[in-house]
Amino acid sequence: GIQVEQSPPDLILQEGANSTLRCNFSDSVNNLQWFHQNPWGQLINLFYIPSGTKQNGRLSATTVATERYSLLYISSSQTTDSGVYFCAVREDNFNKFYFGSGTKLNVKP
Amino acid sequence: EAGVTQSPTHLIKTRGQQATLRCSPISGHTSVYWYQQALGLGLQFLLWYDEGEERNRGNFPPRFSGRQFPNYSSELNVNALELEDSALYLCASSLPWASGVTDTQYFGPGTRLTVL
């Protein structure tokens, strides 16, 4: 199966700081999503981005499919951004989704 | 529009028992996915149903099974429960994979299963 690696595993930020989270994947994919898991376990969709760049408020994401990585940018971080960020991909021609191990973000006031 | 719903929220069972978890997808979604998230870990793909059929399954033993009903809701059954089955079980739904539209997955709040 496809390997999905996220970095860094843990990140501590001061409120207002910017950060970049990375997701590397080992094979070509036809679906890539970023999720935020809140402390109660709920997974919230952030981006569906198998290629290209998207922005939503303080968050933006870029996927370079040919180089097999995606980046999630968080600007002007807030304490509510705390939680775990997951990247998930689906292989071309296969029907399984693979999640990375996540980046645990802690934004301090 | 209602999101993905799961029941029960919490479930406590003992070793050897069977657990049944339920999921209702977003209206119009025909694909349902099940994932297991053990404490502090990432999500492991369990099962994918689409249009009533099992399309694929992850690397889990056969005692993990499920089905999808004509209304596209789904049930996950775990037989002969073991202590290591304790986890958060998440269900997601999406538009049909073959529809050609963006098949973004939307997750429910999960069922926390505890095996004693």
Side-chain angles (χ1 to χ4, degrees), chain B residues 19-99:
Chain B
T20 298
L21 289 64
R22 296 179 177 83
C23 172
S24 291
I26 291 171
S27 177
H29 286 188
T30 63
S31 279
V32 171
Y33 310 82
W34 287 96
Y35 295 88
Q36 182 196 64
Q37 186 178 27
L39 188 63
L41 299 179
L43 280 76
Q44 300 296 317
F45 170 73
L46 259 168
L47 289 160
W48 173 33
Y49 292 96
D50 185 49
E51 298 281 355
E53 293 190 15
E54 182 180 303
R55 299 295 185 182
N56 215 330
R57 64 181 292 129
N59 297 325
F60 282 84
R63 58 190 186 83
F64 287 84
S65 65
R67 53 180 172 167
Q68 187 177 34
F69 299 99
N71 67 353
Y72 304 116
S73 67
S74 179
E75 200 172 82
L76 173 69
N77 294 294
V78 188
N79 294 319
L81 284 166
E82 300 179 1
L83 297 179
E84 52 265 33
D85 296 333
S86 294
L88 179 66
Y89 288 84
L90 291 158
C91 168
S93 74
S94 75
L95 290 170
W97 183 50
S99 68

